[in-house]
Amino acid sequence: MRATATLLVTLVLALGAIGLAVAAPGGGHDLARAEVQSASGSVLIANSRSGQAVLNAPGLRPGGASASGTVTIGNDGDVRGRFAVVATTDPGETPGTHGGLLSDRLQVVLVDETDAQDPVTLYVGTPADFGEVDLGTFDEDEERDYRLQVTLPDGGVPSSSTTGDNRFQGASLSLGLQWRAAPVAASTPTPVPPTPVPPTPAPPAPPTTTPPPTTTPPAAPALADALGMPTASTCVKSGKLKLRLKGPNGTKVVSATVTVNGKVKARVKGAKVRKPVSLRGLGKKTAKLKISVKASDRRTYTATRSYRPCAKR
C-alpha cells in the first residue's frame, strides 16, 4: 500500500499571458498528511503547503521570467519509507482557442534543495512527460526541501494570429504533483551454512631460534573521530566542550543532532554544520556525548563518547 499527498499547479493562458498558481488541493484531495501502515509500523507523509499557494505568477509570458515555489516533504511515521512523486492532470486541461496544449509546451523543473550547497535536479521536461520520479528512502522524521519551477518557452514570432505561441491563448491546465510513499521492510539476512573445512595438518616443529617480535598494525580511526568528536583524553573544562562536525568517508554533513546525557544540546543543518558547535553547562559529572550525523550519502552515522571534568590543579 502507498500513502499519497497532492499539490496542484494551475495555469491559465489568455491574451498572451499566463496566470499561474500552485496550491495544495482542498476537499477530497486534501492529503497533506497521508498514512500507510505495515506490519512493522507506518509511513506518514507531511507537506508544508497544506491549503497554501506554492507559487503565484499571473504575469508569466512566453519567453519571460520563470515562476517557482518551494515545499518541504517529510516522513512523520515510525518506519523508513520509499518516496516518489508523479504529475497528474486532474481535473483536466483545456486547449487554447487555436488548439495549443500547455501540457506539451510548458517546461517544468523539480529540484531537491535539501543540501543548499549541492542541489539535485530530479526532473526537467513537459507536464505530459512527467512520470513517476523516485525520491529515495526517507528515515523517520526526515524532511527534504524541493523547488518547483515553471517556464513557458518563447516560440518566436508567430507567422499568423492562429499559429506559434498564439495557439495557447485561452488555454488552461491543472497539474497535480502527487507525493507517494510505501514502508520499507527490514531485510532479514538468509543464513548461510558453514563451508566444511578440511582438517589442517600438524604444523612443523618450531625452529630453535627465537623469531623477531611482530609489530601490531595501528587500529583504524574510530567513527567518533571521523564525525569530529574530541579525543577520548579530552576533559570538560568549566562545563564547556567544543567540537567541529565532519562527514565520514569523504561525505558532507547535511544535518546533525548533539545530545549530552540524553538531552538535546544542539541541532544544526545547512550552512551551520560548517561552524564549530560549542556545548555549555555540562556540569561537574561525566558527560556522555552522542552525535547523530545525516551525511550526503543519505545515511545516518551515530557515535558516543564520554568525557570527565578536568581535574583541579
Side-chain angles (χ1 to χ4, degrees):
M1 295 180 62
R2 285 181 177 268
T4 60
T6 308
L7 298 177
L8 285 185
V9 183
T10 303
L11 306 110
V12 178
L13 177 65
L15 301 178
I18 293 179
L20 180 143
V22 184
H29 294 279
D30 190 4
L31 298 176
R33 295 174 66 85
E35 183 175 5
V36 60
Q37 295 185 347
S38 68
S40 58
S42 62
V43 175
L44 185 65
I45 301 177
N47 80 58
S48 63
R49 291 291 186 177
S50 175
Q52 304 176 35
V54 176
L55 61 90
N56 192 357
L60 191 66
R61 295 177 178 273
S66 61
S68 64
T70 60
V71 63
T72 299
I73 300 297
N75 178 11
D76 278 358
D78 52 10
V79 296
R80 301 172 70 211
R82 190 78 180 187
F83 279 60
V85 61
V86 63
T88 64
T89 55
D90 182 28
E93 177 178 11
T94 301
T97 305
H98 306 295
L101 293 176
L102 293 178
S103 59
D104 294 330
R105 183 62 172 165
L106 288 169
Q107 285 294 301
V108 179
V109 180
L110 183 65
V111 182
D112 183 342
E113 295 187 330
T114 306
D115 184 355
Q117 304 300 321
D118 188 19
V120 179
T121 300
L122 303 175
Y123 176 76
V124 178
T126 65
D129 295 331
F130 198 127
E132 183 170 289
V133 177
D134 182 30
L135 303 178
T137 301
F138 283 52
D139 293 329
E140 305 95 306
D141 298 325
E142 181 177 356
E143 293 182 342
R144 298 183 191 176
D145 300 322
Y146 298 94
R147 174 173 294 277
L148 178 70
Q149 181 173 301
V150 181
T151 306
L152 182 62
D154 187 352
V157 179
S159 59
S160 70
S161 61
T162 61
T163 60
D165 289 340
N166 290 328
R167 296 184 302 115
F168 301 100
Q169 292 185 14
S172 65
L173 170 66
S174 293
L175 176 66
L177 289 185
Q178 191 178 78
W179 309 87
R180 301 177 176 178
V184 177
S187 59
T188 303
T190 303
V192 179
T195 303
V197 179
T200 304
T208 54
T209 58
T210 302
T214 58
T215 302
T216 303
L223 178 58
D225 298 325
L227 297 182
M229 299 181 75
T231 61
S233 61
T234 302
C235 62
V236 179
K237 185 177 182 180
S238 301
K240 301 177 183 178
L241 193 64
K242 181 180 290 187
L243 57 99
R244 184 179 292 273
L245 297 170
K246 299 178 182 178
N249 304 322
T251 61
K252 297 180 180 179
V253 178
V254 176
S255 63
T257 301
V258 181
T259 62
V260 177
N261 295 332
K263 295 183 179 180
V264 176
K265 286 291 186 179
R267 283 192 176 98
V268 294
K269 64 184 297 187
K272 293 183 179 180
V273 301
R274 296 189 297 274
K275 297 181 180 180
V277 177
S278 297
L279 304 176
R280 301 175 182 274
L282 302 186
K284 299 181 179 179
K285 297 182 180 180
T286 299
K288 185 176 181 181
L289 180 64
K290 178 181 178 181
I291 297 180
S292 293
V293 170
K294 290 185 179 179
S296 56
D297 61 359
R298 302 194 186 279
R299 297 180 61 185
T300 299
Y301 299 86
T302 302
T304 59
R305 182 171 280 174
S306 296
Y307 300 93
R308 297 179 178 273
C310 295
K312 295 183 179 179
R313 295 183 178 181

